[in-house]
Amino acid sequence: MLTTYIIGCVALIIKPGPDLMCTLATALSDGKARAATLMAGLVLGCWLWIWLLAAGVASFFTSHPTVMTAIQIVGIAYIGYLALGSFREAWSGFRHRGENALSPATAKGWRLVGRGVFMSMSNPLTILFFLAFLPNFTKEGASLSPAIQVLLLGTLFCALVPFIYFPIILAADFFRSRLLGSAKATAFLKLASALMLAAVAFILSMPLFKA
């Protein structure tokens, strides 16, 4: 059963989603180090959801749709804000083509981790996913309680994320490094980052329009 669980985790992590797209956008825009830092925050946020689920607190969110919707709106607004900032930087790059480098990112490392945690925690789809996925791999009557089983399985899921994300981050950073000598190309990288973030915000907002 553990092998089946790991295969399922890898398939779900590889599947393009908001976290992966945000990480890829950061790698293209700001490089591998900052993308890895953001990834650490996303994984930490995911792990916090696991703790809430194991502690039984997650049931509060699922039983209060208004709270879930409010969290989702805040998350969408924040990602939209980041997309707008990237659009502005891209526009500035296109206007000042004499400068052949992207403007340096200003957010410090701990803030970038916090950004990742916030983005992960403000996506209620994460906890809904774990509520539907993890119980299928817990065993009744096992020596460990269901809560501990959920915590261990969720921790394993989080531990697998870097093994999937790092190669993608490195590939994006390699592509980015090939283009940094061109002012126009670097502006396009910022534009690509902005478009990806905007796509994430749009994807996350779709359930709101269906409601």
Side-chain angles (χ1 to χ4, degrees):
M1 179 173 286
L2 182 59
T3 302
T4 303
Y5 175 74
I6 292 175
I7 293 174
C9 288
V10 172
L12 290 165
I13 294 170
I14 292 175
K15 182 179 180 294
D19 289 354
L20 181 57
M21 292 180 67
C22 288
T23 304
L24 181 57
T26 302
L28 288 173
S29 177
D30 300 323
K32 59 185 178 183
R34 293 182 63 79
T37 304
L38 177 68
M39 179 198 66
L42 291 168
V43 172
L44 178 58
C46 181
W47 197 53
L48 290 176
W49 272 126
I50 294 295
W51 274 93
L52 291 175
L53 178 58
V57 181
S59 59
F60 169 80
F61 295 95
T62 57
S63 60
H64 293 77
T66 303
V67 176
M68 296 281 283
T69 301
I71 293 173
Q72 190 170 6
I73 291 174
V74 171
I76 292 169
Y78 182 67
I79 294 175
Y81 167 77
L82 295 177
L84 181 60
S86 292
F87 274 122
R88 287 176 175 172
E89 291 182 10
W91 175 249
S92 177
F94 284 122
R95 292 182 61 188
H96 303 88
R97 294 186 180 181
E99 301 174 6
N100 61 359
L102 290 171
S103 58
T106 56
K108 295 181 179 180
W110 64 269
R111 290 185 177 179
L112 202 57
V113 171
R115 177 185 296 180
V117 171
F118 180 79
M119 291 170 66
S120 183
M121 294 294 290
S122 63
N123 182 7
L125 297 178
T126 302
I127 193 61
L128 292 175
F129 156 71
F130 284 124
L131 281 170
F133 183 66
L134 291 183
N136 294 313
F137 297 92
T138 58
K139 294 181 179 180
E140 294 290 340
S143 58
L144 298 176
S145 67
I148 297 298
Q149 291 182 60
V150 165
L151 180 59
L152 292 176
L153 289 170
T155 301
L156 176 58
F157 178 93
C158 294
L160 290 171
V161 171
F163 291 97
I164 306 300
Y165 276 33
F166 270 132
I168 297 173
I169 289 173
L170 292 175
D173 183 73
F174 177 82
F175 176 76
R176 175 180 182 269
S177 65
R178 302 282 78 78
L179 299 177
L180 284 180
S182 165
K184 186 176 181 180
T186 53
F188 269 115
L189 288 176
K190 278 291 183 183
L191 179 60
S193 174
L195 290 173
M196 294 178 71
L197 290 172
V200 169
F202 175 76
I203 292 171
L204 291 177
S205 66
M206 288 180 65
L208 298 179
F209 293 110
K210 294 179 181 179

